[in-house]
Structures are given as C-alpha cells and as structure tokens.
Amino acid sequence: MPTFKTIRQTARHTGLPEHHLRQLVKRGECPGFYAGTRFYINVDALTEQLERVSRSNMEAI
C-alpha cells in the first residue's frame, strides 16, 4: 500500500525542500491528491519518479 504524507511531512522524510515540493505540486508533476486544501503526496511514487529522472540524467552524461 502506498504511503501518503503532507508536503511538510514529505520534506522531513526525504530531505527535499518544501518549496521544491510545492513547485512540483503547482506544475502537476507530483503524484498525489488534494483532500480539502491539503495535498497528500504518494511518497513511494515520488521516490520512483525522482530515481527515474536521476537515472535518465546519468545516462545523458
């Protein structure tokens, strides 16, 4: 089952800046959903997404 956390919780858990996570949400690039005004990030999917981007960047070098 996926792990869902708020932006602030995700920032603490991953070490990513809150601002960066908020920008990803704003651009629609962050996996998750809104519950009222709060956005819940699918941490597992975000981790996989970042790993995939990192691997593709390494291959380009």
Side-chain angles (χ1 to χ4, degrees):
M1 179 170 229
T3 304
F4 291 95
K5 295 185 180 212
T6 64
I7 292 173
R8 184 163 288 157
Q9 291 169 334
T10 303
R12 282 191 220 124
H13 179 76
T14 62
L16 293 170
E18 276 186 53
H19 178 72
H20 181 69
L21 292 171
R22 291 182 194 286
Q23 291 298 315
L24 290 175
V25 170
K26 185 177 180 180
R27 292 190 307 249
E29 298 175 4
C30 190
F33 63 93
Y34 276 100
T37 59
R38 210 170 275 247
F39 190 82
Y40 288 90
I41 296 173
N42 181 334
V43 179
D44 302 328
L46 176 65
T47 302
E48 176 57 34
Q49 177 181 330
L50 294 174
E51 286 176 3
R52 194 171 42 250
V53 168
S54 177
R55 281 193 296 268
S56 69
N57 287 341
M58 291 302 292
E59 291 172 0
I61 294 176

